[in-house]
Amino acid sequence: PLCPQDSLGRGLRICYRYLNQTSRSFAAVIQALDGELRHAVCIFYLVLRALDTIEDDMTISLDVKVPMLHEFHSYLYQPEWKYMESKEKDRQVLEDFPTISMEFRKLSKVYQDVISDICHKMGVGMAEFLEKKVDSQHEWDKYCHYVAGLVGIGLSRLFSASELEDPIVGQDTELANSMGLFLQKTNIIRDYLEDQLEGREFWPREVWSRYAKKLSDLAKPENIDMAVQCLNELITNALHHVPDVLTYLSRLKNQSVFNFCAIPQVMAIATLAACYNNKQVFRGVVKIRKGQAVTLMMDATNIQAVKAIMYQYVEEIYQKIPSTDPSSNKTQQVIASIRTMSLPGGPMASRHHYSPIYLSCAMLLAALSWQYLSTISKATEEYVQAGEN
């Protein structure tokens, strides 16, 4: 399903090269999308990557950065605009922005309008949070909306604009927002330590302040019990988006769009199950196993399979709930509501793992398609970072 590169013009070829360099994971699923939607999503991704690179670059002073974020959407229509001063790893997308913006201007107007509108809203939102920390849970949702919910909304509008999906997919912004929030919250929860080491804080104060004086205190060994309780509360908060995710996915008609949307979501639930009640989050990196990732990606191709996967992982979380956990009741409640949604009438056949015969087929498939899958499966980590910073 990969792009026959030679049939593309020079500008698009360069764009796909940047896509592969900035995200091996995303590159694979974007290039599997059908028709003109593929190019629109590729350009959307690169434009967001450029915006993100500005936001992340700590060497740019606020008085320069804030106007840049506000104006960014207008740079799409300035053929000469580029930024050469960045020190970030993905600075290439800023240094060669004219190639990206030129391809943007070649997209149909329906796609241009969506991309430019999302960039405008996101730039304004990013600027707002540069100057303040995430305090309340409401602000946590708002921050995640700016950096990831808007990506979900923009993608959904592109799906509908391409006519591969019904208009409702692009119109129902609440569901599309939840798709982004579920991924973003998962990243923020999993990346606690990495963000601490880089001096960034995204956990909402309203929650962590009930468990520690400073967010950094959660990393101290003597506070591990409180840290894990805080972690469990945030995971419980994130699980509330799962019903919306299932509703959203159940509306999709096109197979390439379904795979594109479903894979990051099943990676996210697997990541939350691995993090739940796990002290390791405060000591190092928690990753889902490569084999697990491969099985998930091969399996998440229809709504029933995705429901079964979601069921399996919330069941895994349910089994791990400590009776003493302050959030245990809330966690049980949200899992109960996900269960009712993911059970098609009777008890799920694939409630637990897969039958041996299925597994041997999976092994064979995995062996045969290892080259392709390992690109996607590096995927895994970057992948879950759909709206990522």
Side-chain angles (χ1 to χ4, degrees):
L2 297 181
C3 250
Q5 297 289 341
D6 41 342
S7 64
L8 298 178
R10 179 180 165 277
L12 266 181
R13 266 209 309 280
I14 292 172
C15 287
Y16 279 101
R17 193 170 76 232
Y18 291 154
L19 176 67
N20 283 286
Q21 286 165 356
T22 50
S23 167
R24 293 197 289 282
S25 57
F26 252 126
V29 269
I30 289 178
Q31 288 169 135
L33 287 169
D34 292 345
E36 50 178 20
L37 177 61
R38 179 193 304 152
H39 299 328
V41 173
C42 173
I43 302 302
F44 186 35
Y45 180 86
L46 292 177
V47 163
L48 293 180
R49 175 57 71 191
L51 181 58
D52 208 52
T53 304
I54 295 171
E55 185 211 21
D56 269 351
D57 195 328
M58 292 306 172
T59 66
I60 309 176
S61 65
L62 276 186
D63 51 331
V64 174
K65 192 186 283 195
V66 170
M68 273 176 86
L69 292 173
H70 281 154
E71 293 307 310
F72 186 81
H73 65 108
S74 69
Y75 304 153
L76 291 166
Y77 298 98
Q78 297 173 29
E80 306 297 311
W81 188 88
K82 59 180 184 225
Y83 184 74
M84 305 303 286
E85 270 80 73
S86 179
K87 304 284 179 282
E88 291 290 292
K89 62 171 175 12
D90 292 331
R91 61 181 177 270
Q92 209 168 12
V93 292
L94 290 171
E95 294 176 353
D96 191 21
F97 198 74
T99 300
I100 297 169
S101 69
M102 176 179 70
E103 292 306 321
F104 164 83
R105 292 186 300 276
K106 291 184 194 167
L107 295 172
S108 331
K109 188 173 186 301
V110 272
Y111 298 131
Q112 289 186 36
D113 291 348
V114 171
I115 294 172
S116 154
D117 179 48
I118 297 295
C119 281
H120 191 188
K121 294 184 166 120
M122 195 183 286
V124 170
M126 284 174 162
E128 180 186 326
F129 276 92
L130 280 180
E131 329 219 18
K132 64 177 188 192
K133 284 256 194 334
V134 181
D135 274 327
S136 64
Q137 295 185 61
H138 172 74
E139 286 206 318
W140 199 37
D141 281 3
K142 194 172 169 185
Y143 171 76
C144 292
H145 163 74
Y146 286 139
V147 299
L150 283 171
V151 181
I153 291 168
L155 286 167
S156 302
R157 286 166 57 188
L158 294 177
F159 301 155
S160 294
S162 73
E163 296 184 359
L164 292 176
E165 297 297 346
D166 292 341
I168 185 68
V169 172
Q171 287 160 359
D172 196 333
T173 54
E174 268 311 298
L175 291 188
N177 189 55
S178 292
M179 294 283 284
L181 263 60
F182 186 57
L183 299 185
Q184 189 64 22
K185 287 180 177 182
T186 298
N187 291 340
I188 287 174
I189 291 167
R190 180 202 58 199
D191 293 339
Y192 166 83
L193 199 61
E194 187 190 319
D195 286 336
Q196 277 297 307
L197 297 173
E198 293 187 17
R200 293 195 300 246
E201 301 199 342
F202 299 111
W203 283 25
R205 174 188 299 272
E206 183 190 334
V207 176
W208 65 252
S209 62
R210 293 201 297 273
Y211 300 93
K213 283 206 168 63
K214 299 203 301 286
L215 182 55
S216 55
D217 290 345
L218 294 178
K220 297 180 177 167
E222 64 268 25
N223 299 330
I224 192 65
D225 293 342
M226 290 303 244
V228 168
Q229 290 178 2
C230 182
L231 168 72
N232 292 348
E233 182 174 342
L234 290 181
I235 290 175
T236 302
N237 172 303
L239 289 173
H240 282 89
H241 300 296
V242 172
D244 278 357
V245 166
L246 292 174
T247 305
Y248 180 99
L249 293 173
S250 67
R251 288 179 178 170
L252 301 177
K253 305 264 199 328
N254 178 276
Q255 185 67 55
S256 73
V257 171
F258 186 88
N259 297 350
F260 177 86
C261 295
I263 292 172
Q265 302 293 330
V266 297
M267 295 297 184
I269 190 77
T271 301
L272 288 182
C275 291
Y276 184 80
N277 208 46
N278 187 348
K279 300 172 177 174
Q280 198 51 37
V281 171
F282 302 95
R283 297 171 176 167
V285 196
V286 174
K287 280 192 177 157
I288 57 182
R289 298 187 311 281
K290 187 167 232 160
Q292 191 182 5
V294 169
T295 310
L296 285 173
M297 287 183 297
M298 290 190 307
D299 230 38
T301 53
N302 64 78
I303 187 63
Q304 273 323 117
V306 169
K307 285 182 173 181
I309 291 168
M310 292 282 191
Y311 188 95
Q312 184 194 317
Y313 284 110
V314 296
E315 208 52 44
E316 196 179 298
I317 293 172
Y318 190 85
Q319 301 302 330
K320 290 198 281 192
I321 301 174
S323 51
T324 55
D325 191 89
S327 308
S328 61
N329 282 5
K330 275 187 178 170
T331 313
Q332 287 168 350
Q333 280 170 2
V334 69
I335 289 178
S337 64
I338 297 169
R339 274 193 191 136
T340 52
M341 277 199 79
S342 52
L343 283 177
M348 218 34 247
S350 69
R351 206 197 97 138
H352 277 297
H353 293 284
Y354 306 93
S355 63
I357 179 74
Y358 172 81
L359 273 178
S360 54
C361 298
M363 295 309 226
L364 182 64
L365 247 171
L368 291 174
S369 47
W370 192 246
Q371 280 320 109
Y372 177 62
L373 284 171
S374 48
T375 17
I376 302 194
S377 161
K378 167 63 176 81
T380 344
E381 311 109 63
E382 294 168 341
Y383 215 13
V384 180
Q385 311 176 346
E388 167 240 4
N389 310 345

